[in-house]
Amino acid sequence: MNTLKFRVIDKIAETKESFSFVLKPLDGVLAEHSPGKYLPIKIRTEKGLLFRSYSLSSSASANEDFKITVKRERGGRGSNWLCDNVKVGDFIETLPPAGSFHPQNWDRDFVFFAGGSGITPVISIIKTALNRHKNRIKLFYANSSESSIIFHKELKDLCLQFPDRLDIQFWLDDEKGIPTSIAFEQYIDDALEVEYFLCGPAPFMGGVENFLIESKVPPGLITKESFAGSVSDDNGDTVESSAEKDVTVNFMLNGIKNSVMCSEDDFILNEIIKAGINVPSSCCAGNCGSCMCLLVSGDVILESNTVLDASDEEDGWILACRSKPRSKNIEISFDQ
Ligand code: FES
C-alpha cells in the first residue's frame, strides 16, 4: 500500500466535538494540496486497522499547511480515536489526496450549502477562490446550534476581509428549525450562471438538491460531496444488477453480526448500503480505503483499486466497494 507520511504540528479544538490537525509532509513527500480534496487516513487502533477520509480544510492559496478537521461521530471508531489519541508530534499515514469536489470554472460565482462538518472542503474552496480569483461567493451554513459552528471566527473574518465578495448566512436549527426550501430561495439567480456546491448530512443535501432541481438549476452546475454513498461503475452511473441474489454475505460491524443477499454481479458495499446499514465508506470507487474489511471465508473478486497491494490481499484484506462475490457464502469483518 503506497502511503504518505505527515507529522502533526498542531491540534486545534474547533468546537467541543471537533478538532483540526495541522500536518507537515515528511521530507521528500509530495502531496497535492488542492481545495476539495480529502486525505484517506490510515488509523491503527488497539482493535485493528481502519481507513477514514477527511477533507482538507486548508488552502495553499493562503500559504497554509495541510489541515484536516475531524468531527466526532456518535459511535464513530475513526473520528473518536483521532480526536482522543492523536497529539502534536505524532505521525499520520495517508493515501494520496483524492476527491473531485471542486469547481469546474473559477470565473463563475459560487453558492455553497454546507451542513455541520460539511464546511471542511467548502472553506478550502472559498479561501482559494477569494485569494486567487475574482468571483462572488454565497454560503448557507446550517448547524444545530451556535456552539457547533466550525470555523465560526475564521468565516466571519473572511467576510470582513472580503465584504463585497463573500456573503454568509449562519442558520441555526435550535433557533429557526430545520431549513426548508423557503430558506434557500434567495440563492437562486436566473440571470447568472452560478455553480452550486452541497456538502453535509444526507437529509440536508437531499432537501437542497430537490429545491435546486425544482428551481430548474441545470444538474451540471450542481456539485455534491457526500461522505457515504452508493457504488458506481467507472462512468459514475449506479449499477443495478438483475442477476439472482443467491449469495449470502455475513458481516461483522461494530460487534454486531448481520447479513445481506447479493448476486455475483453486485458490489458487496452497495448491497449493505441498500439494506440501510451505515457502513464506513466514502469514495465508493476503491480510492480511499474506508470500506476496507477482512475476508474471513468465501471468495470474492476484487476489481481495480488504488489502495491494496498484493501483500494486503494475501493477508485477506478486501475493499467492499470493489468486491463481487465468487462463492455462495461469504463472511467478512469490518471490525479488524
Ligand atoms: S469506499 Fe473508498 S475504497 Fe471503498
Side-chain angles (χ1 to χ4, degrees):
M1 197 181 297
N2 232 348
T3 54
L4 310 175
K5 236 178 173 186
F6 292 83
R7 191 162 55 85
V8 179
I9 59 170
D10 201 2
K11 179 177 180 180
I12 303 159
E14 301 286 0
T15 67
K16 246 169 57 184
E17 298 294 315
S18 56
F19 287 92
S20 287
F21 298 91
V22 184
L23 308 172
K24 200 87 173 165
L26 289 202
D27 289 348
V29 170
L30 287 178
E32 185 188 353
H33 194 177
S34 297
K37 295 277 181 198
Y38 58 79
L39 285 180
I41 310 255
K42 190 175 175 183
I43 307 170
R44 234 174 248 290
T45 74
E46 308 68 36
K47 291 189 182 153
L49 186 62
L50 305 170
F51 271 93
R52 293 292 182 271
S53 295
Y54 295 100
S55 295
L56 292 169
S57 51
S58 50
S59 171
S61 71
N63 291 323
E64 294 174 329
D65 288 303
F66 285 81
K67 184 170 75 175
I68 55 164
T69 303
V70 180
K71 183 177 179 194
R72 291 181 189 275
E73 298 300 329
R74 195 174 305 162
R77 288 190 296 152
S79 60
N80 284 299
W81 193 91
L82 286 170
C83 290
D84 289 338
N85 293 284
V86 174
K87 51 192 189 314
V88 173
D90 286 351
F91 294 99
I92 279 187
E93 255 183 287
T94 82
L95 295 171
S100 54
F101 184 67
H102 55 74
Q104 302 160 40
N105 181 345
W106 291 87
D107 292 330
R108 288 183 182 136
D109 289 335
F110 297 159
V111 172
F112 295 90
F113 294 94
S117 59
I119 191 67
T120 50
V122 166
I123 195 171
S124 173
I125 299 172
I126 288 177
K127 286 186 281 193
T128 305
L130 292 173
N131 289 322
R132 294 215 172 128
H133 303 275
K134 295 195 162 65
N135 51 352
R136 286 178 307 154
I137 297 163
K138 288 184 180 178
L139 166 64
F140 179 94
Y141 183 21
N143 279 281
S144 53
S145 64
E146 185 164 348
S147 63
S148 60
I149 301 175
I150 303 173
F151 311 130
H152 199 177
K153 180 173 183 318
E154 186 175 1
L155 288 166
K156 287 204 287 193
D157 287 348
L158 286 171
C159 284
L160 292 175
Q161 203 184 336
F162 298 94
D164 300 330
R165 293 182 55 205
L166 179 61
D167 174 25
I168 300 179
Q169 180 181 179
F170 293 99
W171 179 281
L172 302 179
D173 296 350
D174 66 351
E175 289 179 0
K176 298 180 176 174
I178 303 292
T180 62
S181 52
I182 296 166
F184 308 141
E185 269 164 8
Q186 61 174 297
Y187 293 91
I188 298 292
D189 189 336
D190 296 336
L192 296 171
E193 202 175 64
V194 172
E195 280 192 44
Y196 294 86
F197 301 85
L198 283 53
C199 190
F204 170 78
M205 298 220 317
V208 177
E209 188 176 13
N210 286 342
F211 166 76
L212 294 177
I213 288 168
E214 279 165 17
S215 303
K216 308 269 183 293
V217 172
L221 293 177
I222 303 172
T223 303
K224 299 176 286 178
E225 177 81 317
S226 41
F227 298 126
S230 61
V231 178
S232 300
D233 68 10
D234 292 339
N235 300 319
D237 300 324
T238 300
V239 178
E240 190 57 62
S241 160
S242 57
E244 191 185 349
K245 294 194 186 297
D246 57 355
V247 174
T248 306
V249 178
N250 294 305
F251 59 96
M252 189 66 97
L253 176 64
N254 297 329
I256 297 170
K257 208 167 181 181
N258 222 319
S259 67
V260 288
M261 297 303 290
C262 298
S263 79
E264 293 202 350
D265 290 346
D266 292 326
F267 287 114
I268 292 172
L269 179 71
N270 203 18
E271 299 313 295
I272 297 176
I273 289 173
K274 281 200 291 193
I277 296 163
N278 196 4
V279 67
S281 58
S282 181
C283 70
C284 294
N287 295 323
C288 74
S290 303
C291 65
M292 195 165 127
C293 53
L294 202 60
L295 180 64
V296 179
S297 64
D299 273 333
V300 300
I301 181 162
L302 179 61
E303 300 208 341
S304 62
N305 74 88
T306 58
V307 177
L308 301 179
D309 59 25
S311 78
D312 299 317
E313 288 183 49
E314 267 169 35
D315 290 341
W317 294 109
I318 62 168
L319 299 174
C321 72
R322 301 300 291 163
S323 296
K324 292 179 176 177
R326 283 299 175 267
S327 63
K328 296 299 177 203
N329 282 292
I330 288 168
E331 195 177 337
I332 58 178
S333 174
F334 293 93
D335 286 352
Q336 297 304 309

